[in-house]
Amino acid sequence: MPGTVLDFWFDFASTYSYPAAMRIGPLAHAADITIRFRPFLLGPIFKAQGWDTSPFNVYPAKGRNMWRDLERLCADLSLPFQRPDPFPQNSLLAARTALAVPDGVTGDFCRAVFRAEFGMGRRIDEVATIGVILTHLKVDVPRILDLAQSEMIKTLLRQQTDEAQRVGLFGAPSFVTPDGELFWGNDRLERALAWATQAR
Amino acid sequence: MPGTVLDFWFDFASTYSYPAAMRIGPLAHAADITIRFRPFLLGPIFKAQGWDTSPFNVYPAKGRNMWRDLERLCADLSLPFQRPDPFPQNSLLAARTALAVPDGVTGDFCRAVFRAEFGMGRRIDEVATIGVILTHLKVDVPRILDLAQSEMIKTLLRQQTDEAQRVGLFGAPSFVTPDGELFWGNDRLERALAWATQAR
């Protein structure tokens, strides 16, 4: 039986992508599904909807509830929580670096970025933050940081973001099954895994 | 022990209020919590956010996914599903009638309206639809329909909608616990009940 792959689309600045990223590993393992981490940029997608920042900033009542909800959710999951400042964080460097690290550490890198940002309130647009994470992953830090700024990786991230738009993504996290079913939101992670399992 | 009450705020035009309304009874019963059905109008709240229709119409990609998601959700719950046309339905008559029926049949009335609208694709702005529902509930139909158009009920609905805004509601369904905790969305129903239970 060939391995079933679920695409996990996220923006590092996306709040609910944090619990999704922290939960997806064990759940996917139990379902025998391989997760493809697909960072992309929500900015162009939000811009197409007329927003120049996160909808949680555009709509303050919704934003207030989101922060409270995320705090409750993290408490339930025993995840550390700190509200990053500013919000949203600029996720360009983190997204490029996620595409530059060796495949075997992608998941660990992504989780570490989310933990730094939403668990410790760190800035993820700073090379210092990303550098510390890479050091812990025991990769060649200067080489990865160089690669993250290369034309190849810049193009790759643009292509990922273009593909996200083509697939019809409008927010993050989103999950896309091999048969093209789109599930939006951390709350749909289990359902997306179940769908991918049934479609197998 | 005095009964714990959870406020269930909804607009009859709201898509995810349908599964919430159909699920809330047994879950609340099991948790020994009394549900207060609180219909209100999302229109003024959406207008304050700059929308003159449902956000699912304002943002088409989000809307497409919502319909697909609702269809999947209803299948999982063995609930009938039909997309109402037009969407959103004008929910004024249904909301006023919900405030006019005797307390003991409020839940049944609300469920019947949601079932007619999203399970059978009926128009809920027509007296015919509401009349059939009332007939099944064995209430005095002409009297209730009269009462629904009275100044008292019109004022009551305006007050409910004002209170919804004061409480900080920005969408539906929403659940508010006795200690003022706000949970938004059908996906938060279980969590809201658990919170209300703990706070007791």
Side-chain angles (χ1 to χ4, degrees):
Chain A
M1 189 173 63
T4 302
V5 174
L6 183 71
D7 275 342
F8 169 34
W9 291 91
F10 60 93
D11 184 317
F12 280 109
S14 148
T15 53
Y16 287 105
S17 294
Y18 169 43
M22 306 313 270
R23 297 193 315 117
I24 202 167
L27 291 172
H29 182 78
D32 196 22
I33 285 173
T34 302
I35 300 300
R36 190 153 54 148
F37 283 76
R38 308 207 64 179
F40 72 109
L41 298 182
L42 272 170
I45 287 171
F46 283 169
K47 200 159 276 175
Q49 297 179 26
W51 303 328
D52 59 1
T53 178
S54 162
F56 295 124
N57 290 342
V58 177
Y59 305 110
K62 195 168 185 168
R64 273 191 299 278
N65 185 256
M66 177 279 292
W67 288 116
R68 179 64 178 142
D69 187 57
L70 189 64
E71 191 182 0
R72 290 186 305 232
L73 199 57
C74 288
D76 287 349
L77 296 167
S78 300
L79 288 177
F81 171 70
Q82 269 201 50
R83 192 168 157 170
D85 181 30
F87 174 79
Q89 292 277 300
N90 182 325
S91 55
L92 188 63
L93 173 65
R96 285 179 179 164
T97 310
L99 295 176
V101 296
D103 208 42
V105 301
T106 303
D108 286 337
F109 174 78
C110 294
R111 281 183 286 269
V113 171
F114 278 117
R115 202 182 300 115
E117 181 185 18
F118 293 107
M120 298 183 276
R122 298 265 164 80
R123 291 191 65 132
I124 60 163
D125 59 341
E126 290 177 355
V127 174
T129 308
I130 302 298
V132 167
I133 290 170
L134 291 174
T135 303
H136 279 119
L137 294 175
K138 302 190 199 316
V139 293
D140 184 339
V141 181
R143 205 170 151 221
I144 298 289
L145 287 175
D146 248 27
L147 184 59
Q149 301 302 339
S150 68
E151 274 314 309
M152 186 188 79
I153 292 292
K154 288 180 181 177
T155 301
L156 198 55
L157 181 58
R158 269 195 297 272
Q159 285 170 345
Q160 293 252 108
T161 301
D162 289 348
E163 188 180 338
Q165 281 182 292
R166 264 200 316 278
V167 172
L169 300 198
F170 53 90
S174 292
F175 311 98
V176 180
T177 65
D179 58 340
E181 197 73 15
L182 164 63
F183 294 85
W184 171 55
N186 172 55
D187 292 318
R188 290 292 174 277
L189 171 53
E190 284 84 350
R191 194 63 189 78
L193 288 165
W195 188 282
T197 301
Q198 283 165 354
R200 179 151 61 187
Chain B
M1 186 174 65
T4 303
V5 174
L6 183 71
D7 275 342
F8 169 34
W9 291 92
F10 60 93
D11 183 316
F12 280 108
S14 147
T15 52
Y16 287 106
S17 294
Y18 169 43
M22 305 314 271
R23 298 193 313 118
I24 202 166
L27 292 172
H29 182 78
D32 196 21
I33 286 173
T34 302
I35 299 300
R36 190 152 53 148
F37 283 75
R38 307 208 65 180
F40 72 109
L41 298 181
L42 272 170
I45 287 171
F46 283 169
K47 201 159 275 174
Q49 297 179 27
W51 303 327
D52 59 2
T53 179
S54 161
F56 294 125
N57 290 342
V58 178
Y59 305 110
K62 196 168 183 167
R64 271 192 300 277
N65 185 256
M66 178 278 292
W67 288 116
R68 180 64 178 144
D69 187 57
L70 190 63
E71 191 182 1
R72 289 185 306 232
L73 201 56
C74 289
D76 287 349
L77 296 167
S78 300
L79 288 176
F81 171 71
Q82 268 200 51
R83 192 169 158 169
D85 180 28
F87 174 80
Q89 291 277 299
N90 183 324
S91 56
L92 188 63
L93 173 65
R96 285 178 178 164
T97 310
L99 295 176
V101 295
D103 208 41
V105 301
T106 304
D108 286 337
F109 174 79
C110 294
R111 280 182 287 270
V113 171
F114 278 118
R115 203 180 300 115
E117 181 184 17
F118 292 108
M120 298 182 275
R122 298 265 163 78
R123 292 191 64 132
I124 60 163
D125 58 343
E126 291 177 354
V127 174
T129 307
I130 301 299
V132 168
I133 290 170
L134 292 173
T135 304
H136 279 118
L137 294 175
K138 301 190 199 316
V139 294
D140 184 339
V141 180
R143 205 170 153 223
I144 298 289
L145 287 175
D146 249 26
L147 183 59
Q149 300 302 340
S150 68
E151 275 314 309
M152 186 189 79
I153 292 292
K154 287 180 181 177
T155 302
L156 199 56
L157 181 58
R158 270 196 295 271
Q159 285 170 346
Q160 293 252 107
T161 301
D162 288 349
E163 188 179 339
Q165 282 183 293
R166 265 200 316 280
V167 172
L169 300 198
F170 53 89
S174 291
F175 312 97
V176 180
T177 65
D179 57 341
E181 197 73 16
L182 163 63
F183 293 85
W184 170 55
N186 172 55
D187 293 318
R188 289 293 174 278
L189 170 54
E190 284 85 349
R191 194 64 189 77
L193 287 165
W195 189 281
T197 302
Q198 282 166 356
R200 177 152 59 188

